[in-house]
Short mmCIF file of all heavy atoms in Angstrom, two decimals:
data_model
loop_
_atom_site.label_atom_id
_atom_site.label_comp_id
_atom_site.label_asym_id
_atom_site.label_seq_id
_atom_site.Cartn_x
_atom_site.Cartn_y
_atom_site.Cartn_z
N GLN A 306 -18.14 -19.14 5.97
CA GLN A 306 -18.68 -17.80 5.75
C GLN A 306 -18.03 -17.14 4.53
O GLN A 306 -18.71 -16.48 3.73
CB GLN A 306 -18.45 -16.93 6.99
CG GLN A 306 -19.33 -17.30 8.18
CD GLN A 306 -19.01 -16.44 9.39
OE1 GLN A 306 -18.02 -16.66 10.08
NE2 GLN A 306 -19.85 -15.44 9.63
N LEU A 307 -16.72 -17.31 4.40
CA LEU A 307 -16.01 -16.72 3.28
C LEU A 307 -16.45 -17.34 1.96
O LEU A 307 -16.60 -16.66 0.95
CB LEU A 307 -14.50 -16.90 3.46
CG LEU A 307 -13.87 -16.13 4.62
CD1 LEU A 307 -12.40 -16.50 4.77
CD2 LEU A 307 -14.02 -14.63 4.43
N GLU A 308 -16.65 -18.65 1.96
CA GLU A 308 -17.09 -19.34 0.75
C GLU A 308 -18.49 -18.87 0.35
O GLU A 308 -18.78 -18.71 -0.85
CB GLU A 308 -17.08 -20.84 0.97
CG GLU A 308 -15.66 -21.42 1.05
CD GLU A 308 -15.65 -22.86 1.54
OE1 GLU A 308 -16.75 -23.44 1.72
OE2 GLU A 308 -14.55 -23.40 1.75
N ALA A 309 -19.34 -18.65 1.33
CA ALA A 309 -20.69 -18.18 1.04
C ALA A 309 -20.65 -16.79 0.41
O ALA A 309 -21.38 -16.49 -0.55
CB ALA A 309 -21.53 -18.16 2.31
N ARG A 310 -19.77 -15.93 0.93
CA ARG A 310 -19.64 -14.59 0.36
C ARG A 310 -19.08 -14.66 -1.07
O ARG A 310 -19.53 -13.93 -1.95
CB ARG A 310 -18.72 -13.73 1.22
CG ARG A 310 -18.58 -12.31 0.69
CD ARG A 310 -17.62 -11.47 1.48
NE ARG A 310 -17.62 -10.11 0.97
CZ ARG A 310 -16.89 -9.71 -0.07
NH1 ARG A 310 -16.12 -10.58 -0.70
NH2 ARG A 310 -16.94 -8.45 -0.49
N GLU A 311 -18.12 -15.54 -1.28
CA GLU A 311 -17.54 -15.67 -2.61
C GLU A 311 -18.58 -16.14 -3.63
O GLU A 311 -18.61 -15.65 -4.76
CB GLU A 311 -16.37 -16.65 -2.56
CG GLU A 311 -15.59 -16.72 -3.87
CD GLU A 311 -14.33 -17.55 -3.74
OE1 GLU A 311 -13.89 -17.79 -2.61
OE2 GLU A 311 -13.80 -17.97 -4.80
N ARG A 312 -19.43 -17.06 -3.23
CA ARG A 312 -20.48 -17.53 -4.14
C ARG A 312 -21.44 -16.41 -4.51
O ARG A 312 -21.84 -16.27 -5.65
CB ARG A 312 -21.25 -18.69 -3.50
CG ARG A 312 -20.47 -20.01 -3.46
CD ARG A 312 -21.40 -21.17 -3.14
NE ARG A 312 -22.03 -21.02 -1.82
CZ ARG A 312 -21.51 -21.47 -0.69
NH1 ARG A 312 -20.33 -22.10 -0.71
NH2 ARG A 312 -22.14 -21.32 0.46
N SER A 313 -21.77 -15.60 -3.51
CA SER A 313 -22.71 -14.51 -3.78
C SER A 313 -22.09 -13.42 -4.66
O SER A 313 -22.79 -12.76 -5.43
CB SER A 313 -23.20 -13.90 -2.46
OG SER A 313 -22.13 -13.27 -1.78
N SER A 314 -20.77 -13.23 -4.54
CA SER A 314 -20.11 -12.18 -5.31
C SER A 314 -19.80 -12.61 -6.74
O SER A 314 -19.50 -11.75 -7.58
CB SER A 314 -18.81 -11.76 -4.62
OG SER A 314 -17.88 -12.83 -4.59
N GLN A 315 -19.89 -13.91 -7.03
CA GLN A 315 -19.62 -14.37 -8.40
C GLN A 315 -20.63 -13.81 -9.38
O GLN A 315 -20.33 -13.64 -10.56
CB GLN A 315 -19.62 -15.90 -8.44
CG GLN A 315 -18.38 -16.52 -7.80
CD GLN A 315 -18.44 -18.03 -7.77
OE1 GLN A 315 -19.50 -18.64 -8.00
NE2 GLN A 315 -17.32 -18.66 -7.46
N ALA A 316 -21.83 -13.54 -8.90
CA ALA A 316 -22.86 -12.98 -9.77
C ALA A 316 -22.64 -11.49 -10.02
O ALA A 316 -23.24 -10.91 -10.94
CB ALA A 316 -24.24 -13.20 -9.16
N ASP A 317 -21.78 -10.87 -9.23
CA ASP A 317 -21.53 -9.44 -9.36
C ASP A 317 -20.02 -9.19 -9.22
O ASP A 317 -19.52 -8.93 -8.13
CB ASP A 317 -22.29 -8.67 -8.28
CG ASP A 317 -22.16 -7.16 -8.44
OD1 ASP A 317 -21.47 -6.72 -9.38
OD2 ASP A 317 -22.72 -6.43 -7.60
N PRO A 318 -19.28 -9.27 -10.33
CA PRO A 318 -17.82 -9.10 -10.28
C PRO A 318 -17.38 -7.78 -9.66
O PRO A 318 -16.35 -7.71 -8.99
CB PRO A 318 -17.41 -9.18 -11.76
CG PRO A 318 -18.51 -9.97 -12.41
CD PRO A 318 -19.75 -9.58 -11.68
N GLN A 319 -18.15 -6.72 -9.89
CA GLN A 319 -17.78 -5.42 -9.33
C GLN A 319 -17.83 -5.44 -7.81
O GLN A 319 -17.01 -4.82 -7.13
CB GLN A 319 -18.70 -4.32 -9.87
CG GLN A 319 -18.58 -4.11 -11.37
CD GLN A 319 -17.18 -3.75 -11.81
OE1 GLN A 319 -16.45 -3.06 -11.09
NE2 GLN A 319 -16.78 -4.22 -12.99
N ALA A 320 -18.79 -6.17 -7.26
CA ALA A 320 -18.89 -6.28 -5.80
C ALA A 320 -17.67 -6.99 -5.23
O ALA A 320 -17.20 -6.66 -4.14
CB ALA A 320 -20.18 -7.01 -5.42
N ALA A 321 -17.15 -7.97 -5.97
CA ALA A 321 -15.97 -8.70 -5.51
C ALA A 321 -14.74 -7.80 -5.46
O ALA A 321 -13.83 -8.03 -4.67
CB ALA A 321 -15.71 -9.89 -6.42
N LEU A 322 -14.72 -6.76 -6.28
CA LEU A 322 -13.57 -5.86 -6.33
C LEU A 322 -13.71 -4.67 -5.39
O LEU A 322 -12.74 -3.93 -5.17
CB LEU A 322 -13.38 -5.34 -7.77
CG LEU A 322 -13.05 -6.39 -8.83
CD1 LEU A 322 -12.94 -5.74 -10.20
CD2 LEU A 322 -11.77 -7.13 -8.48
N ALA A 323 -14.89 -4.48 -4.83
CA ALA A 323 -15.15 -3.32 -3.98
C ALA A 323 -14.16 -3.17 -2.82
O ALA A 323 -13.79 -2.04 -2.47
CB ALA A 323 -16.58 -3.38 -3.44
N PRO A 324 -13.69 -4.25 -2.16
CA PRO A 324 -12.75 -4.07 -1.04
C PRO A 324 -11.44 -3.40 -1.42
O PRO A 324 -10.74 -2.91 -0.53
CB PRO A 324 -12.50 -5.52 -0.58
CG PRO A 324 -13.73 -6.27 -0.98
CD PRO A 324 -14.13 -5.65 -2.28
N PHE A 325 -11.11 -3.35 -2.71
CA PHE A 325 -9.86 -2.74 -3.13
C PHE A 325 -10.00 -1.25 -3.44
O PHE A 325 -9.01 -0.58 -3.74
CB PHE A 325 -9.31 -3.45 -4.37
CG PHE A 325 -9.06 -4.91 -4.17
CD1 PHE A 325 -9.96 -5.85 -4.66
CD2 PHE A 325 -7.95 -5.36 -3.48
CE1 PHE A 325 -9.75 -7.20 -4.46
CE2 PHE A 325 -7.73 -6.71 -3.28
CZ PHE A 325 -8.63 -7.64 -3.76
N LEU A 326 -11.22 -0.75 -3.37
CA LEU A 326 -11.48 0.63 -3.79
C LEU A 326 -11.39 1.65 -2.66
O LEU A 326 -11.42 2.85 -2.92
CB LEU A 326 -12.87 0.72 -4.44
CG LEU A 326 -13.06 -0.12 -5.71
CD1 LEU A 326 -14.50 -0.01 -6.20
CD2 LEU A 326 -12.09 0.33 -6.79
N ALA A 327 -11.29 1.20 -1.43
CA ALA A 327 -11.25 2.14 -0.30
C ALA A 327 -10.43 1.54 0.83
O ALA A 327 -10.33 0.33 0.97
CB ALA A 327 -12.67 2.44 0.20
N GLY A 328 -9.84 2.44 1.62
CA GLY A 328 -9.12 1.99 2.81
C GLY A 328 -7.63 1.85 2.65
O GLY A 328 -6.93 1.44 3.59
N GLY A 329 -7.09 2.17 1.48
CA GLY A 329 -5.65 2.04 1.27
C GLY A 329 -4.85 3.15 1.95
O GLY A 329 -5.41 4.12 2.46
N ASN A 330 -3.54 3.00 1.91
CA ASN A 330 -2.63 3.97 2.52
C ASN A 330 -1.86 4.67 1.40
O ASN A 330 -1.15 4.02 0.62
CB ASN A 330 -1.68 3.26 3.47
CG ASN A 330 -0.70 4.21 4.15
OD1 ASN A 330 0.30 4.60 3.56
ND2 ASN A 330 -1.00 4.58 5.38
N VAL A 331 -1.97 5.98 1.34
CA VAL A 331 -1.37 6.76 0.26
C VAL A 331 0.14 6.62 0.24
O VAL A 331 0.74 6.41 -0.83
CB VAL A 331 -1.77 8.25 0.38
CG1 VAL A 331 -0.98 9.09 -0.62
CG2 VAL A 331 -3.26 8.42 0.15
N GLU A 332 0.78 6.72 1.39
CA GLU A 332 2.24 6.67 1.43
C GLU A 332 2.76 5.30 1.00
O GLU A 332 3.73 5.19 0.25
CB GLU A 332 2.74 7.02 2.83
CG GLU A 332 4.26 6.97 3.00
CD GLU A 332 5.02 7.83 1.99
OE1 GLU A 332 4.48 8.86 1.55
OE2 GLU A 332 6.15 7.46 1.64
N ARG A 333 2.12 4.24 1.48
CA ARG A 333 2.54 2.91 1.05
C ARG A 333 2.32 2.74 -0.45
O ARG A 333 3.14 2.14 -1.16
CB ARG A 333 1.78 1.83 1.82
CG ARG A 333 2.18 1.72 3.28
CD ARG A 333 1.70 0.40 3.88
NE ARG A 333 0.26 0.23 3.78
CZ ARG A 333 -0.60 0.51 4.75
NH1 ARG A 333 -0.17 0.99 5.91
NH2 ARG A 333 -1.90 0.33 4.58
N GLY A 334 1.21 3.27 -0.96
CA GLY A 334 0.94 3.20 -2.39
C GLY A 334 1.97 3.94 -3.21
O GLY A 334 2.38 3.49 -4.29
N ARG A 335 2.41 5.09 -2.70
CA ARG A 335 3.44 5.86 -3.41
C ARG A 335 4.74 5.07 -3.49
O ARG A 335 5.41 5.05 -4.53
CB ARG A 335 3.67 7.19 -2.69
CG ARG A 335 4.60 8.15 -3.44
CD ARG A 335 5.14 9.24 -2.54
NE ARG A 335 6.05 8.66 -1.56
CZ ARG A 335 7.32 8.33 -1.83
NH1 ARG A 335 7.82 8.52 -3.03
NH2 ARG A 335 8.08 7.83 -0.88
N ARG A 336 5.09 4.40 -2.40
CA ARG A 336 6.33 3.61 -2.41
C ARG A 336 6.22 2.45 -3.40
O ARG A 336 7.21 2.09 -4.06
CB ARG A 336 6.64 3.10 -1.00
CG ARG A 336 7.09 4.19 -0.04
CD ARG A 336 7.82 3.60 1.15
NE ARG A 336 6.95 2.73 1.94
CZ ARG A 336 6.22 3.15 2.98
NH1 ARG A 336 6.25 4.43 3.33
NH2 ARG A 336 5.48 2.30 3.66
N ILE A 337 5.04 1.85 -3.49
CA ILE A 337 4.85 0.77 -4.47
C ILE A 337 5.05 1.31 -5.88
O ILE A 337 5.74 0.70 -6.70
CB ILE A 337 3.45 0.15 -4.32
CG1 ILE A 337 3.35 -0.62 -3.00
CG2 ILE A 337 3.13 -0.78 -5.49
CD1 ILE A 337 1.93 -0.99 -2.62
N PHE A 338 4.48 2.45 -6.16
CA PHE A 338 4.56 3.04 -7.50
C PHE A 338 5.99 3.35 -7.89
O PHE A 338 6.44 3.04 -9.00
CB PHE A 338 3.71 4.31 -7.55
CG PHE A 338 3.62 4.93 -8.92
CD1 PHE A 338 2.57 4.58 -9.77
CD2 PHE A 338 4.56 5.83 -9.37
CE1 PHE A 338 2.48 5.14 -11.04
CE2 PHE A 338 4.48 6.39 -10.64
CZ PHE A 338 3.44 6.04 -11.48
N PHE A 339 6.74 3.94 -6.97
CA PHE A 339 8.08 4.41 -7.29
C PHE A 339 9.19 3.41 -6.96
O PHE A 339 10.27 3.49 -7.56
CB PHE A 339 8.37 5.73 -6.56
CG PHE A 339 7.68 6.92 -7.16
CD1 PHE A 339 6.56 7.46 -6.57
CD2 PHE A 339 8.15 7.50 -8.33
CE1 PHE A 339 5.91 8.56 -7.12
CE2 PHE A 339 7.52 8.59 -8.89
CZ PHE A 339 6.40 9.13 -8.29
N GLU A 340 8.95 2.49 -6.03
CA GLU A 340 10.07 1.70 -5.51
C GLU A 340 9.93 0.19 -5.66
O GLU A 340 10.96 -0.51 -5.63
CB GLU A 340 10.29 2.04 -4.03
CG GLU A 340 10.59 3.51 -3.79
CD GLU A 340 10.63 3.85 -2.31
OE1 GLU A 340 10.70 2.91 -1.47
OE2 GLU A 340 10.56 5.05 -1.98
N LYS A 341 8.73 -0.35 -5.77
CA LYS A 341 8.59 -1.80 -5.80
C LYS A 341 9.08 -2.34 -7.15
O LYS A 341 8.45 -2.13 -8.18
CB LYS A 341 7.14 -2.22 -5.56
CG LYS A 341 6.96 -3.73 -5.38
CD LYS A 341 5.54 -4.08 -4.99
CE LYS A 341 5.33 -5.59 -4.89
NZ LYS A 341 6.08 -6.18 -3.77
N SER A 342 10.19 -3.05 -7.12
CA SER A 342 10.85 -3.47 -8.36
C SER A 342 10.02 -4.45 -9.16
O SER A 342 10.12 -4.51 -10.40
CB SER A 342 12.22 -4.09 -8.04
OG SER A 342 12.08 -5.21 -7.19
N GLU A 343 9.17 -5.25 -8.50
CA GLU A 343 8.39 -6.25 -9.22
C GLU A 343 7.38 -5.61 -10.19
O GLU A 343 7.00 -6.22 -11.18
CB GLU A 343 7.63 -7.15 -8.25
CG GLU A 343 8.52 -8.07 -7.44
CD GLU A 343 9.05 -7.42 -6.18
OE1 GLU A 343 8.90 -6.19 -6.05
OE2 GLU A 343 9.60 -8.14 -5.34
N VAL A 344 6.93 -4.40 -9.88
CA VAL A 344 5.98 -3.73 -10.76
C VAL A 344 6.58 -2.46 -11.36
O VAL A 344 6.38 -2.14 -12.52
CB VAL A 344 4.66 -3.39 -10.02
CG1 VAL A 344 3.92 -4.67 -9.66
CG2 VAL A 344 4.91 -2.58 -8.75
N TYR A 345 7.30 -1.72 -10.56
CA TYR A 345 8.05 -0.52 -10.98
C TYR A 345 7.26 0.33 -11.97
O TYR A 345 7.65 0.55 -13.11
CB TYR A 345 9.39 -0.94 -11.57
CG TYR A 345 10.44 0.16 -11.51
CD1 TYR A 345 10.55 0.96 -10.38
CD2 TYR A 345 11.30 0.39 -12.58
CE1 TYR A 345 11.50 1.97 -10.32
CE2 TYR A 345 12.25 1.39 -12.52
CZ TYR A 345 12.35 2.18 -11.39
OH TYR A 345 13.29 3.17 -11.31
#
Side-chain angles (χ1 to χ4, degrees):
Q306 287 178 282
L307 293 175
E308 289 169 5
R310 182 183 184 276
E311 187 172 343
R312 287 194 298 270
S313 66
S314 64
Q315 287 176 347
D317 185 0
Q319 296 301 326
L322 297 178
F325 301 102
L326 298 177
N330 181 279
V331 171
E332 179 55 30
R333 290 196 302 263
R335 188 198 68 79
R336 289 199 297 269
I337 291 167
F338 186 92
F339 284 103
E340 301 173 15
K341 189 174 177 67
S342 59
E343 291 86 348
V344 293
Y345 204 40

